[in-house]
Every structure is written in structure tokens, then in C-alpha cells.
């Protein structure tokens, strides 16, 4: 039964800065948003899920020029990483906004003019300590260093004094209005500790905010005064309204704005809980219901050094096991508001115990018995006994509690409830031992009842976990012979039983193969997809050599030969002879060389982890094999458009060169 009374649900992630690279933090926020989006849809609400990229600013301008590209071309190239990440995480935003889209720029300019007209924006002179990499002025309370300069508290780099004509937003006028809003909407910022932090910051007094720059060209021009560009936060924050249809699709905007929940990490709390609501108050737009500040995933440093690679690259985990285990782990391990410590041990432990053991075994045992004992279709079961009724009751309670937790964004609690139920079902099977019942033909009605109860429990579990693990839930659904897709089921009215229940049409494949921790760590030396590093967080070890995946090695043992591939699979790789035209070291990366190569029809740049074996001079004029159709990657801020082949031995990467005269671009097969 459709209830029209449920309000629409609008969830946002921050827009991600294209100059960074996707890391576990981006993955985490997007996964939370996607899980809420999927849950709310299954809970009968119309949902709008927005994510996207922040593409303006000085750093984009700089990176583009370093790579010989226009800023837009650079943004077009790197935005793909974030789109790919969302897809690979099984996240399905309804709209992916880019701040370089005309729909956004027009909306921001319109809002700017409105506030200018009404006096909330005015022109003035700003002089202050400015952090260039962060594109932000330091707050007044940052103390002077001994040498009379200031250090940026966010990044630790030296700030410089900048003075310029600028437009100010009259933030000071909104201090009391903000405090009033916090007081009347105690859930405006969650968790509570963040609300307290924001309140005391605003109580301390608000100064007007400089919102334009004359020094940054790559931005939205101030309408009527194009020497100024609109500065990052006034530009970026408004994506949440332009993305929802502000000034472009009034029906959509009216329906979804204000946002139900805006997910952020704590480093951008002030912008979202102070500046953003102040902008909205000035524009006369309603404020979001909730700004939810999630925690950070911290690296387990010890494990990092052992495993060498940048293990927090989400692509490594995605490549190894698909999106569902990562989604499950990140949502289950810690409450959303707290910081988590990411360690491989914890990840593998959860994967093996919660997923492979508890859920995966339950699915495969139950379905295998239904297939083996009843040829895939359970006949009319015997009467329900108290143990069976307990499972039915437990399911109803679990469903209600899990739904309540999903609704209040306490996703880890929801999963705890579901796993307590899975444990109960496993115990039920152990207690009722269908494998023993099977031995006595007289007990077949009882056997049918036990297995039907297990099937009902699995069906219900598939629905409950579907927002977190969409792919696995759908597989269970199909193994059970249920029609359609699990995401089309609604929580409301979700019954334990179902008319078609009791079939096991398809033989189940293992949902979550167990992972051997030692083997996994040994394998994780090379990022599987995009060997990218965030410039901001370069505490990680050097990138491993950019060599083929087949040359992964461990300290102790030769790697086993990988499974066979067909000739067609091999033939998808475009291997070519490359001639080296230029070679140079990559700054601050002792293993990396930047090579310009000739491929006959074109020249390209690749980044190779061979600097410990070869000097740039040694490689000039050399001929070797590259994979020409490998997806480009950004390594230490340098784009690599291909990969050379090399043998890896310890820290050394040894390139097989051609001695004979082979033309550039010749095919290798
Ligand atoms: Zn800084």
C-alpha cells in the first residue's frame, strides 16, 4: 500500500575537489549516502541523492597548466575518477553535479546578485594571512611564528599576506539568527558534540566573509564585475541547491529542498554548519534538516608499512572483493559520527566471520539442503513448532528495529540487529539439525518446515541488508527463486513468509569467499586500478613500480601462476614498442621517472617506478614494451598514459629492452 504522506528524502555528499584523488574518505561518505538513499526508497520515499565535484580554484588552474591543459580539460579528465568510484562502489546518485556546469554557474550568479542587491554582499578591502594551497585566509587567532610569518593550521604550510579588493558576505549579521536556529533545531548538526562545537564558535563572534578573488581566474565571474571570481565556498556550497533544481526546475526544487541530510566530514563542519545556513538565511531559502558530520578513517600505520602499498586506496579492496564487503565493513565497524581505525586485520576478520561465515554459510547450507533433500522445491511443510515461531517473531522484531535505526542514520546498529538475527537462524539450524531429520523419511514434513523457515529468514535478511549490500542481497533473492528485484520490495508490510517461498532454483555460488589474511597482505603491494596518491596526505610510502600485475611478489614465496586467460582476453591488451624521447625524475618521488615516449602515431607521457634501477639518461633512446590502452592514472600529480613492462625483483624494476631496430608503435603479440 503506497502511503503518499511520506515526505521526499534528499541526501547529499560534499562535492569532491577534482584536484584530490579518491580515497577511503570519499568512498565512505558516498557509501553512507547511497545506503540511506537505497533504504529510503525501500521505505517508500521519493529520494534524490546528489554528489559531484568541485572544479574551480587556484589548485585546478595550477595542475592544469602543469599538465599543459586548460582547466576545463583537466577537470574533464579527472572527474572521471570520482564518477568511476561511485559506480565501482555500487553507488547510484540521482545526479552528479559539477561546479563547472552552466546550470550551477547561473544559479550561483543569480544568488550572488540577489544578496548584492539586498546589501548582504558589499565590496571592500581584505588584507590577511592567506594559505595558497588551501585557498583560504587564516583566522585571526592563528599566532605569529618567530620569523613573523603565520603557518596554516590546516596544512602546516607557510601562509602569505594578501591584500585585495573583495566582495564580503555580511556574515556578522547572521550570528544571532544562526544561534536561534541551532537552539530551535537541536538536530541541525549531528552528532551532538559537533553541534556544541559549532554553537560555541558562533557565540565567539562572526566576521564578514570574503567571497570573491581577483587573484583566481578559474572560477565563476562576478556578474557585472568580471575582474572578480566567486570564491570557493560561495560557489561550492550552492551546488546543493543548484543540483536540486534551483532557478531551473522549480517543481523538483520545491519537492526536494531543503535537504533531509547533508553528509560531511569534520574538516568542513564550519563551512556547512555556519556559512552555508547563513547564505541560505540571506537568500530566504529553507535550511537543511540535518548536517551530519561523520568521522575519519585513520590508517593503521603499522600495517601500512608492512604491506607497502597505499592500502587505503578503495580500488584495491574493490578490485579484490567487489563493493559489498567494503560497504558492510565501513558501515558496521564504527558509528557514523566517530573516527574509525582502518586495518586489514579488522576488515578481513569481518569479511570472514560476519560475511563468509555467518551469512554466506547460512545461504549456501540452506539452499544446498533444499536442493539436495527436496530437489529445489520444498513440499507442504509440517505444523509450526515453537522454535519456528521464535524465528518468525525474531524476524518481525529485527525488521522493526533495523528500520528504525536506518531511519535515524545509525547504520551500524541496524547491521548489528540484522546480524543478531542471522546468528539466531544459524543456531536454529544447528538445534534442529535438518541433516539428521533427513535420515528419517517419517520426518520429512518437519524437515520441510525447518528448511522453509530458513528460506523465509534468508528472504527477509536479503531485504534488510539490501541498502548496504545491494549486489549480495539480489543474489540471495535470485537463489531463492524470488521474482523481480529485491530493491523493489518495501519494508512496510514486509512479511516473514511469502507465497513462492521454498524454492532453491539456482545452485548458490559462495557469496563471500573467505580471505587468508597473510596472502591478502602479501598481494596488496600494487594498487589495482588507479595508482593515485593524494598530495595532501603523502605520508604514505612511495608508489610501487608501475609494472604489470603479474609481477606481484612476496618476500617469502614465488607467486603462484594466475588462472588461465583466453587468447581473446590477452588480445584486449594493446602492447606496443615505445621509444623514449625524454626522461626526467618526478619531484620528491625517488622511485618515479616521467618518460615521454614515441608510439609511432603519437607521443605520450608515462610515469614508471624504475628510478632506483635507471637514471633518466640511461633510458633516453631505449626501446621497450608498453601497454598502450591502459586506463590513464595520476601518479604524484603527474598523468601516466600507459605503462611499461618490467620485471620486479626486490626493490628493483628491470626493463626488457629491444636490442634490434624496431620501429616505434610496432605491435607486440
Ligand atoms: Zn593550508
Amino acid at each position: 500500500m503506497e502511503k503518499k504522506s511520506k515526505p521526499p528524502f534528499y541526501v547529499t555528499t560534499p562535492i569532491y575537489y577534482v584536484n584530490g584523488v579518491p580515497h577511503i574518505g570519499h568512498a565512505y561518505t558516498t557509501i553512507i549516502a547511497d545506503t540511506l538513499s537505497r533504504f529510503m526508497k525501500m521505505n517508500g520515499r521519493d529520494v534524490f541523492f546528489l554528489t559531484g565535484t568541485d572544479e574551480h580554484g587556484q589548485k585546478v588552474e595550477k595542475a592544469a597548466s602543469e599538465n599543459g591543459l586548460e582547466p576545463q580539460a583537466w577537470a574533464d579528465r579527472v572527474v572521471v575518477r570520482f564518477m568511476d568510484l561511485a559506480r565501482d562502489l555500487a553507488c547510484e546518485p540521482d545526479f552528479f553535479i559539477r561546479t563547472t556546469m552552466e546550470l550551477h554557474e547561473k544559479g550561483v550568479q543569480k544568488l550572488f546578485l540577489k544578496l548584492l542587491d539586498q546589501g548582504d554582499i558589499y565590496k571592500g578591502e581584505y588584507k590577511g594571512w592567506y594559505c595558497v594551497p588551501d585557498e583560504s585566509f587564516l583566522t585571526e587567532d592563528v599566532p605569529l611564528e618567530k620569523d613573523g610569518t603565520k603557518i596554516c593550521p590546516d596544512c602546516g604550510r607557510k601562509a602569505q599576506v594578501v591584500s585585495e579588493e573583495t566582495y564580503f558576505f555580511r556574515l556578522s549579521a547572521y550570528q544571532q539568527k544562526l544561534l536561534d536556529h541551532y537552539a530551535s533545531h537541536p538536530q541541525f548538526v549531528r552528532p551532538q558534540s559537533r553541534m556544541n562545537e559549532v554553537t560555541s564558535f558562533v557565540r565567539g563572534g562572526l566576521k564578514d566573509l570574503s567571497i570573491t578573488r581577483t587573484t583566481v581566474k578559474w572560477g565563476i565571474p562576478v556578474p557585472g564585475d568580471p575582474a572578480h571570481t566567486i570564491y570557493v565556498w560561495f560557489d561550492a556550497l550552492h551546488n546543493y541547491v543548484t543540483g536540486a533544481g534551483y532557478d531551473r526546475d522549480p517543481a523538483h526544487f520545491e519537492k526536494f529542498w531543503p535537504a533531509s541530510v547533508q553528509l560531511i566530514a569534520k574538516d568542513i563542519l564550519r563551512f556547512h554548519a555556519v556559512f552555508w545556513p547563513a547564505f541560505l538565511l540571506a537568500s530566504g531559502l529553507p535550511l537543511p534538516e540535518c548536517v551530519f558530520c561523520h568521522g575519519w578513517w585513520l590508517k593503521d600505520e603499522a600495517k601500512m608499512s608492512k604491506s607497502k602499498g597505499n592500502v587505503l586506496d578503495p580500488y584495491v579492496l574493490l578490485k579484490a572483493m567487489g563493493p559489498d564487503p567494503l560497504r558492510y565493513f565501513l558501515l558496521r565497524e564504527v558509528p557514523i559520527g566517530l573516527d574509525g581505525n582502518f586495518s586489514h586485520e579488522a576488515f578481513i576478520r569481518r569479511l570472514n566471520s560476519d560475511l563468509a561465515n555467518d551469512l554466506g554459510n547460512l545461504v549456501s547450507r540452506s539452499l544446498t539442503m533444499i536442493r539436495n533433500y527436496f530437489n529445489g522445491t520444498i513440499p507442504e511443510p509440517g505444523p509450526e513448532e515453537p522454535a519456528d515461531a521464535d524465528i518468525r517473531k525474531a524476524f518481525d522484531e529485527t525488521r522493526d528495529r533495523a528500520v528504525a535505526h536506518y531511519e535515524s542514520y545509525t547504520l551500524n546498529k541496524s547491521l548489528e540487529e540484522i546480524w543478531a538475527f542471522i546468528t539466531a537462524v544459524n543456531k536454529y539450524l544447528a538445534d534442529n539439525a535438518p541433516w539428521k531429520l533427513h535420515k528419517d523419511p517419517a520426518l520429512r514434513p518437519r524437515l520441510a518446515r525447518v528448511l522453509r523457515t530458513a528460506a523465509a529468514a534468508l528472504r527477509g535478511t536479503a531485504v534488510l541488508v539490501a541498502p548496504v549490500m545491494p549486489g549480495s542481497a539480489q543474489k540471495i533473492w535470485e537463489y531463492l527463486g524470488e521474482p523481480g528485484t529485491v530493491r523493489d520490495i518495501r519494508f512496510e508490510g514486509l512479511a516473514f513468509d511469502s507465497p513462492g517461498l521454498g524454492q532453491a532454483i539456482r545452485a548458490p555460488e559462495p557469496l563471500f569467499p573467505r580471505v587468508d589474511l597473510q596472502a591478502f597482505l602479501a598481494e596488496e603491494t600494487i594498487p589495482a586500478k588507479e595508482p593515485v596518491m593524494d598530495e595532501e596526505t603523502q605520508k604514505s610510502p612511495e608508489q610501487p613500480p608501475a609494472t604489470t600485475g603479474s609481477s606481484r611478489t612476496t618476500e617469502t614465496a614465488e607467486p603462484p601462476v594466475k588462472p588461465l586467460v583466453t587468447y581473446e582476453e590477452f588480445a584486449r591488451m594493446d602492447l606496443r614498442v615505445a621509444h623514449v624521447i625524454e626522461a626526467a625524475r618526478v619531484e620528491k618521488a625517488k622511485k618515479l621517472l616521467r618518460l615521454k615516449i614515441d608510439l609511432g602515431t603519437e607521443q605520450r607521457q608515462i610515469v614508471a617506478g624504475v628510478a632506483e634501477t635507471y637514471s633518466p639518461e640511461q633510458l633516453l633512446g631505449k626501446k621497450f614494451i608498453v601497454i598502450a590502452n591502459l586506463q590513464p592514472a595520476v601518479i604524484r600529480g603527474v598523468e601516466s598514459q600507459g605503462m611499461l613492462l618490467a620485471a620486479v625483483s626486490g626493490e628493483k624494476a628491470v626493463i626488457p629492452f629491444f636490442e634490434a631496430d624496431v620501429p616505434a608503435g610496432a605491435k607486440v603479440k
Side-chain angles (χ1 to χ4, degrees), residues 542-560:
E542 293 284 342
Q543 282 293 304
T547 53
T548 63
S550 61
S551 58
R552 293 181 178 195
T553 54
T554 66
E555 305 294 325
T556 48
E558 284 298 305

Side-chain angles (χ1 to χ4, degrees), residues 109-171:
Q109 287 181 324
K110 178 167 175 155
L111 286 158
F112 188 97
L113 281 182
K114 177 178 161 57
L115 301 199
L116 187 66
D117 285 350
Q118 70 192 41
D120 275 308
I121 290 176
Y122 64 92
K123 208 177 201 176
E125 175 86 6
Y126 188 83
K127 187 178 177 190
W129 289 93
Y130 184 74
C131 175
V132 175
D134 286 339
E135 297 176 34
S136 64
F137 282 97
L138 276 50
T139 50
E140 301 285 322
D141 54 348
V142 175
L144 282 171
E145 300 294 312
K146 281 179 200 138
D147 63 356
T149 64
K150 287 195 178 187
I151 301 290
C152 170
D154 290 330
C155 69
R157 286 174 285 210
K158 251 194 173 70
Q160 57 201 64
V161 175
V162 170
S163 172
E164 62 177 10
E165 186 187 71
T166 185
Y167 287 88
F168 284 95
F169 171 71
R170 211 176 288 282
L171 183 63

Side-chain angles (χ1 to χ4, degrees), residues 179-198:
L179 289 171
D180 292 347
H181 187 79
Y182 303 153
S184 57
H185 299 79
Q187 299 275 300
F188 176 67
V189 175
R190 286 174 65 186
Q192 182 63 41
S193 56
R194 300 294 171 201
M195 179 84 262
N196 300 343
E197 199 179 312
V198 167

Side-chain angles (χ1 to χ4, degrees), residues 22-68:
H23 54 71
I24 207 83
H26 301 112
Y28 185 46
T29 319
T30 312
I31 287 169
I32 296 170
D34 185 71
T35 299
L36 292 177
S37 162
R38 287 174 184 272
F39 165 76
M40 293 298 172
K41 281 174 185 158
M42 291 179 72
N43 210 26
R45 294 174 74 172
D46 281 346
V47 174
F48 185 56
F49 164 19
L50 182 75
T51 188
T53 40
D54 178 3
E55 305 191 351
H56 289 131
Q58 208 156 17
K59 279 195 275 186
V60 174
E61 211 169 28
K62 187 160 164 267
S65 90
E66 281 170 5
N67 284 272

